[in-house]
Amino acid sequence: MDTNVQKRRENKKSLRVKVISLGNAEVGKSCIIKRYCEKRFVPKYLATIGIDYGVTKVQVRDREIKVNIFDMAGHPFFYEVRNEFYKDSQGVILVYDVGLRESFDALDSWLTEMKQEMGSQANMENIIFVVCANKVDLTKRRVVDESEGRLWAESRGFHYFETSAQSGEGINEMFQAFFSSITDMCENGGKRPTPEVSVGFTKEQADTIRRIRSSKDSWDMLGVKPGATREEVNKAYRKLAVLLHPDKCVAPGSEDAFKAVVNARTSLLKNINEESFRTPT
Ligand code: GTP
Ligand code: MG
């Protein structure tokens, strides 16, 4: 075959992509990358200073992908260094530590920082995000459960993986899904293809589960004022039951949310009954 034709074909099959890692300091970003690229784990914490850069080659279907990895420092001190590196990313690895709630809560502010730094380029539709719920090997200290993390990720159209850089759990699966989605996106002209299977739940369902999880008492959970009547409680319950019934809702955490709503209604109605017995007629 003409060598030029052969070269052109090879070029067509090879891709260059840029990915970045984001998340609070010490959540395990560098260790996840090291586990994948070097197949090893370093227990000692060596904070990334500003940025670490590395290149790896991976094969996705018939394409060779050259991946430029920019591993960001999570510490706020390095903001001035890392803010240069957000632009032109095709993929983002968002990491939190399942044993540190603040690292999970911080995911929103990492997205905000990214959007801000990308400026007019900030089209999140053209970036593949993968969320790593990391350090799952440390089961006893876990405070953010799978359904909560999965809900956060999947309601935004992001991949979700439970990972441990220490044991290697989930790491290869996560990178394979990540690179495969990035390749699909590049083959689709740089736009995230519409997923073949939709997430299967609505934003309203996701928001309701989150609200139920953070409610302070049974009144709050059902969304009624303290002292509401039986009818008001039942009406609010029915609305939530239709939204969250396990036959209707596949959002992560919906089953627990549904059970919590049933329990809240039972305890409120019990109190309303007892009070009405006590009230002289
Ligand atoms: P910065 O570079 O400061 O932003 O931190 P980082 O997110 O890159 O964290 P790093 O990968 O350096 O890991 C921080 C600490 O957590 C190190 O002591 C690691 O050994 C430990 N660590 C990382 N991943 C895991 C894991 O999956 N399980 C356990 N048990 N420890 C982990
Ligand atoms: Mg690091």
Side-chain angles (χ1 to χ4, degrees), residues 1 5 21 27 38 46 55 67 70 73 121 125 136 143 159 166 207-208 251 259 271 277-278:
M1 198 195 304
V5 173
S21 66
V27 293
E38 299 173 23
L46 295 163
V55 187
V67 189
F70 292 80
Q121 267 200 8
E125 290 307 306
V136 292
V143 292
H159 295 279
Q166 193 254 17
D207 291 346
T208 304
K259 280 186 204 150
N271 288 335
F277 283 133
R278 261 184 259 127

Side-chain angles (χ1 to χ4, degrees), residues 25-58:
E26 228 174 310
V27 293
K29 300 178 294 297
S30 303
C31 286
I32 287 173
I33 293 165
K34 202 167 262 144
R35 164 60 78 184
Y36 180 71
C37 296
E38 299 173 23
K39 313 272 173 270
R40 66 194 180 100
F41 174 69
V42 186
K44 191 167 176 282
Y45 175 42
L46 295 163
T48 302
I49 308 297
I51 282 276
D52 268 345
Y53 169 70
V55 187
T56 189
K57 276 186 185 162
V58 293

Side-chain angles (χ1 to χ4, degrees), residues 78-193:
F78 295 111
Y79 167 72
E80 291 296 338
V81 184
R82 66 173 182 258
N83 65 8
E84 302 281 321
F85 291 90
Y86 282 108
K87 291 202 168 92
D88 305 316
S89 306
Q90 277 97 14
V92 176
I93 307 172
L94 272 170
V95 185
Y96 68 93
D97 174 346
V98 295
L100 289 173
R101 176 158 292 277
E102 62 267 31
S103 72
F104 174 65
D105 292 340
L107 294 180
D108 280 311
S109 50
W110 282 103
L111 287 182
T112 306
E113 179 177 307
M114 177 176 177
K115 277 185 204 160
Q116 193 182 308
E117 296 312 320
M118 289 180 79
S120 57
Q121 267 200 8
N123 188 351
M124 300 306 213
E125 290 307 306
N126 298 346
I127 300 170
I128 302 294
F129 288 86
V130 63
V131 176
C132 295
N134 194 41
K135 306 199 189 183
V136 292
D137 55 291
L138 302 173
T139 47
K140 284 199 184 126
R141 63 186 274 283
R142 183 162 190 164
V143 292
V144 185
D145 69 19
E146 178 177 350
S147 63
E148 199 174 353
R150 195 177 275 286
L151 184 68
W152 188 90
E154 292 183 354
S155 59
R156 288 167 174 77
F158 300 171
H159 295 279
Y160 171 87
F161 282 88
E162 301 247 300
T163 59
S164 165
Q166 193 254 17
S167 70
E169 181 182 337
I171 302 288
N172 284 340
E173 294 85 339
M174 180 276 287
F175 276 105
Q176 269 162 22
F178 186 47
F179 295 142
S180 161
S181 292
I182 292 177
T183 309
D184 291 344
M185 184 181 71
C186 293
E187 288 175 353
N188 191 44
K191 280 209 171 85
R192 250 203 273 180

